[in-house]
Structure formats: structure tokens, C-alpha cells
Amino acid sequence: STLDTDTLPDPTDMPTTGRDRLTSYYAQWQTTFAQNSAIARQITLTGGARRDQDQEFGGHTSLKVAGDWQLPDGTTVLRANYGQGFKAPTLYELFSEYSNPFARLAPETADGWEAGFDHLLEQGKVRVSAVYFSRDEQNEIEFDDCATSDPGCLLRPFGYYYNVGRSSDRGVEADLAAHLTQSLSVWGSYTNMKAIDELTGLMLARRAHVLYNGGLTWTATGGASLGATYVYQGSRFDDAANTVPLAPTETLDVFGSYPLGKWMQIFGRVENLLNNQAEPAYGYRPLGRGFYGGVRVRL
């Protein structure tokens, strides 16, 4: 791939150019054992390997193994997986005006695993899931927006990319989805996570400790529908030094549609109904309340 950008009409800006080549190979094996025994109804095992050959950063092999175990009652599945990751810096991160002023960025590598379950209730109308996850990363690429004093900001006043030596993510996630009636469905998700720079013990920038979201949808027999979604992102820091706090954000969207005959439908939605003005990142205002509507025609 190549990168070639320029800024017009300022003739003093230098063009940004760069080039790299990545060749990847992937293989996967999967098998399912139908047990139908007192221990398990079904067991599925998966294994995979990927080889990335980067012209600038050399070769790297990543592995993945996974399994799920359906219990005899047919309503519960236990699952777990382990995987490795590799990601070379993008051309923009390497060569743009935000490139690291001190050293060339290194590729990101990661090892992670998770274990959890899915369970069905009320004859399959309700599904609950929970999982614990853990991931360790080497050289994770972050962005310093120079909101605070930093030696690199003397050379990159608008910010620059850098590697975090060692970082980790640990947490739990729970999900629920339910068909309360033939017309009404609800869902929700909750995440509690700690994302830490292992060298400093501080929180990684812009990683909220708590996240949750949910929604509901009502659909009438004639095809009309109404719904709403809610997203909450907890407090976090905008910078690696944890000196620039960001307030929690919450967004409520509502939407609906109504059929006009067999081939036509009108629809509308309101985004950010509560007109939340908390900054998603330091110095950036969110979009305000927005109204949208239109007509869909099927041909």
C-alpha cells in the first residue's frame, strides 16, 4: 500500500508519502462432536493460524484456539478461546505530521483469552450471556493530543503517535436479549473493564471503566415500528498522564417507521434526544440533537 497526501492551497505544507507491503496467509480447522451424553450434547473445537509478512517489520505468526460445550439440557453453552494478534503501524501513523518525533513506531502484539456462557430461558425467548476477558498487549499504539506539557509536543504541537510498552485489559461483560411479546423486544449490555498501562499503573487514555447500552423495539402486525437505544460511557481520562478527565457521556436515540402501502415506507429518527454535550475527546464537541426523516421505496 502507498500513502501520498497533500494539503491545498497552502504551498508551504510538505506532502506526506510512504509505502509498505503486507502479505498474509490464514488457515483454520473446525470440528464438531455430537455427544448426546450425560456430559455434553455437542462440543465444537476450532484452531487457526495466521502468518503476516510485513515488508517493513518482518514476519509474525498468530495462533487461535476456541471451543464451546453445549450442556445436555440444550439451553446452556460454555465457551472459551485464546488468541494472539499482530498489527503493524499504519502508513499515516508512520509518516504523517503526527508521526513519533523520537523513534519509529513498533508493531502491536497481543495475547488474550476469554471464558463465558450463554443460557436460554423461557423456551428460548430470553438469552443471557456473561464473559470474563483478559488481554495483554506489547507496544500498543496510542495518540498524545498534547493537552498537557510533554517534551514531544515541542516537536509535534498538535499531537503524535507513540507506543505503550506494556498494557492490559481485564473485565467482564454481560448481555441480555428478550422477546417479551410477539411485538416487543428488548436488549442490554454491560461492560466493566480496567485498561492499564503496566509500566505506569495509570489508566489508558479514553478507556472508560464502565460502559452499558440497551434498547427496545416494538413492531406492529401491520409493519409499523417504534424503538429507542441508549448508550452510556463512563468517566475516563483523555491523556496517558491521567490529568485531563472526560465526563461521562450518554446518548438516547429514538426511531420509527410506518408503511404506506406495499412498496413505500416513511421513517424518522432523533439522535441525541437528550442533547448531551459532554466531550467525546478533549477539545471536540459532540453532535447536538439531530432530526432525520425520509421515504423508502421498494421496487
Side-chain angles (χ1 to χ4, degrees):
S1 58
T2 60
L3 174 70
D4 190 356
T5 67
D6 203 351
T7 303
L8 297 177
D10 189 350
T12 63
D13 285 342
M14 297 297 293
T16 299
T17 60
R19 180 184 298 271
D20 192 14
R21 181 183 181 88
L22 176 65
T23 304
S24 300
Y25 308 91
Y26 181 75
Q28 179 173 295
W29 168 84
Q30 180 173 303
T31 186
T32 298
F33 303 96
Q35 299 289 318
N36 292 320
S37 67
I39 300 176
R41 173 178 290 190
Q42 182 174 287
I43 296 177
T44 300
L45 300 176
T46 304
R50 176 184 173 119
R51 179 66 179 177
D52 292 298
Q53 192 67 39
D54 192 284
Q55 185 179 22
E56 296 295 324
F57 299 98
H60 186 88
T61 300
S62 304
L63 303 177
K64 179 179 177 65
V65 292
D68 62 69
W69 175 16
Q70 187 178 42
L71 300 185
D73 61 8
T75 63
T76 304
V77 174
L78 306 179
R79 50 187 170 87
N81 72 70
Y82 166 81
Q84 300 173 324
F86 168 83
K87 178 181 177 294
T90 66
L91 295 179
Y92 191 80
E93 291 169 342
L94 284 172
F95 301 110
S96 73
E97 60 183 308
Y98 306 107
S99 62
N100 192 288
F102 302 115
R104 191 179 192 188
L105 291 175
E108 297 178 327
T109 58
D111 292 88
W113 65 273
E114 65 177 36
F117 70 89
D118 302 300
H119 184 64
L120 299 178
L121 300 167
E122 300 296 327
Q123 292 78 47
K125 295 180 181 180
V126 179
R127 179 181 60 81
V128 293
S129 304
V131 64
Y132 175 86
F133 59 87
S134 174
R135 182 175 65 181
D136 293 291
E137 295 186 325
Q138 299 283 341
N139 298 319
E140 181 177 2
I141 297 174
E142 291 284 331
F143 184 75
D144 186 340
D145 59 10
C146 291
T148 58
S149 178
D150 186 292
C153 296
L154 297 176
L155 300 173
R156 299 285 190 270
F158 299 108
Y160 63 94
Y161 294 98
Y162 68 98
N163 287 114
V164 177
R166 295 197 312 271
S167 60
S168 64
D169 302 306
R170 308 274 190 273
V172 294
E173 185 172 84
D175 298 279
L176 180 144
H179 298 284
L180 300 181
T181 67
Q182 187 174 0
S183 302
L184 182 62
S185 299
V186 299
W187 59 270
S189 177
Y190 170 82
T191 302
N192 189 302
M193 176 182 70
K194 291 185 67 175
I196 301 295
D197 182 333
E198 295 291 347
L199 298 182
T200 65
L202 300 176
M203 294 176 59
L204 292 179
R206 301 178 184 174
R207 305 292 205 282
H209 181 55
V210 173
L211 300 148
Y212 55 83
N213 54 69
L216 59 87
T217 303
W218 173 80
T219 304
T221 304
S225 66
L226 291 172
T229 60
Y230 175 81
V231 178
Y232 174 88
Q233 185 176 21
S235 58
R236 57 217 182 276
F237 291 98
D238 189 73
D239 62 326
N242 289 185
T243 59
V244 182
L246 292 173
T249 63
E250 54 182 348
T251 304
L252 176 65
D253 300 338
V254 296
F255 55 88
S257 64
Y258 187 82
L260 297 176
K262 187 177 181 180
W263 309 107
M264 186 176 296
Q265 180 189 71
I266 59 173
F267 67 91
R269 70 180 186 275
V270 182
E271 296 184 353
N272 194 12
L273 179 65
L274 303 178
N275 198 30
N276 171 70
Q277 292 298 307
E279 292 180 323
Y282 179 77
Y284 290 83
R285 291 189 60 186
L287 291 175
R289 188 183 296 113
F291 300 86
Y292 305 86
V295 178
R296 296 189 184 98
V297 179
R298 298 181 183 179
L299 300 178

